[in-house]
Amino acid sequence: SQTIHQWPATLVQPVGSPLSLECTVEGTSNPNLYWYRQAAGRGLQLLFYSVGIGQISSEVPQNLSASRPQDRQFILSSKKLLLSDSGFYLCAWSVLGSGTDTQYFGPGTRLTVL
Amino acid sequence: KQEVTQIPAALSVPEGENLVLNCSFTDSAIYNLQWFRQDPGKGLTSLLLIQSSQREQTSGRLNASLDKSSGRSTLYIAASQPGDSATYLCAVRPPRAGNMLTFGGGTRLMVKP
């Protein structure tokens, strides 16, 4: 069966510090991968998606970046965090053509920037 | 640009009641619509997915309907239980490739024993 992992689960970082959040998927090959952010009082916003290794598309301009060094690994990064980067970050995967076309979400990372 | 709205934002009901959550979207050109459940501080769990050609989907006590032409979907929960307490999110997928979802703001449901 497929599983998706995110770490760390929680993170408190000062403004201006770097960020690296990791997401890995097991039990599937060539998944589509997604990073979402859920800020307090706001809906779920798609940040990045990837259809393959090294292929990243950004949905919104920001000081975050994403990378996909391996088929089942998706990393969200920042060189300098802003207060507005605080939120709940969710990684998700899907496989097009699987019949269900459902996105499956990880447990999330709670980021607080102080 | 697709916009998804969920009403109400919060709902509190006594245990045993049947209830309806609403989702509306501005662009009727969708590929599918999904309903998710999110428990506090947790990720999302997919509940039901309705393809654009379908009218409804059922899973246990849950029934989701889709009226694509009017840009509306409802999630019906029968005989609600305290364990149903969570935030319910709907999301629509456009017909283009990539499976990018646009989410509504969610309805926070509290079922009181």
Side-chain angles (χ1 to χ4, degrees):
Chain A
S1 64
Q2 301 89 358
T3 56
I4 179 169
H5 304 279
Q6 286 187 246
W7 64 87
T10 60
L11 191 61
V12 180
Q13 291 285 96
V15 169
S17 63
L19 173 74
S20 181
L21 304 181
E22 189 164 345
C23 169
T24 58
V25 181
E26 297 176 356
T28 187
S29 297
N30 196 30
N32 285 1
L33 296 172
Y34 311 85
W35 276 113
Y36 291 89
R37 176 170 59 202
Q38 192 173 37
R42 300 177 65 179
L44 210 61
Q45 181 184 38
L46 178 65
L47 301 175
F48 300 95
Y49 70 94
S50 171
V51 298
I53 296 175
Q55 301 178 62
I56 310 294
S57 295
S58 174
E59 287 294 295
V60 293
Q62 59 214 312
N63 71 320
L64 300 171
S65 62
S67 62
R68 185 170 177 175
Q70 300 180 42
D71 181 45
R72 289 169 287 180
Q73 184 184 32
F74 206 21
I75 297 173
L76 183 69
S77 303
S78 174
K79 293 181 179 178
K80 289 185 178 181
L81 284 169
L82 306 173
L83 286 174
S84 58
D85 292 324
S86 293
F88 191 49
Y89 288 82
L90 288 161
C91 180
W93 70 273
S94 70
V95 178
L96 294 182
S98 65
T100 62
D101 199 31
T102 297
Q103 286 193 16
Y104 300 93
F105 284 77
T109 295
R110 174 74 59 191
L111 172 66
T112 303
V113 182
L114 301 176
Chain B
K1 179 187 173 184
Q2 178 75 271
E3 292 183 3
V4 181
T5 304
Q6 291 186 245
I7 296 174
L11 182 64
S12 181
V13 300
E15 181 177 6
E17 272 202 8
N18 302 324
L19 56 99
V20 175
L21 307 181
N22 297 293
C23 172
S24 61
F25 46 96
T26 55
D27 186 350
S28 62
I30 65 170
Y31 186 77
N32 61 39
L33 182 146
Q34 284 186 251
W35 283 93
F36 293 88
R37 168 185 173 138
Q38 185 178 28
D39 292 289
K42 305 292 185 181
L44 277 64
T45 301
S46 179
L47 298 173
L48 291 164
L49 183 150
I50 311 177
Q51 300 291 356
S52 62
S53 58
Q54 298 175 322
R55 298 283 294 181
E56 65 177 351
Q57 283 285 335
T58 298
S59 176
R61 294 182 294 107
L62 305 180
N63 176 275
S65 68
L66 174 64
D67 184 343
K68 198 174 73 165
S69 61
S70 67
R72 294 180 182 179
S73 176
T74 62
L75 179 67
Y76 175 82
I77 302 177
S80 59
Q81 303 171 357
D84 294 329
S85 299
T87 296
Y88 291 81
L89 297 154
C90 72
V92 298
R93 182 199 160 186
R96 62 189 170 100
N99 197 9
M100 281 72 71
L101 300 179
T102 300
F103 282 83
T107 294
R108 191 170 63 254
L109 172 66
M110 172 71 72
V111 181
K112 295 177 288 187

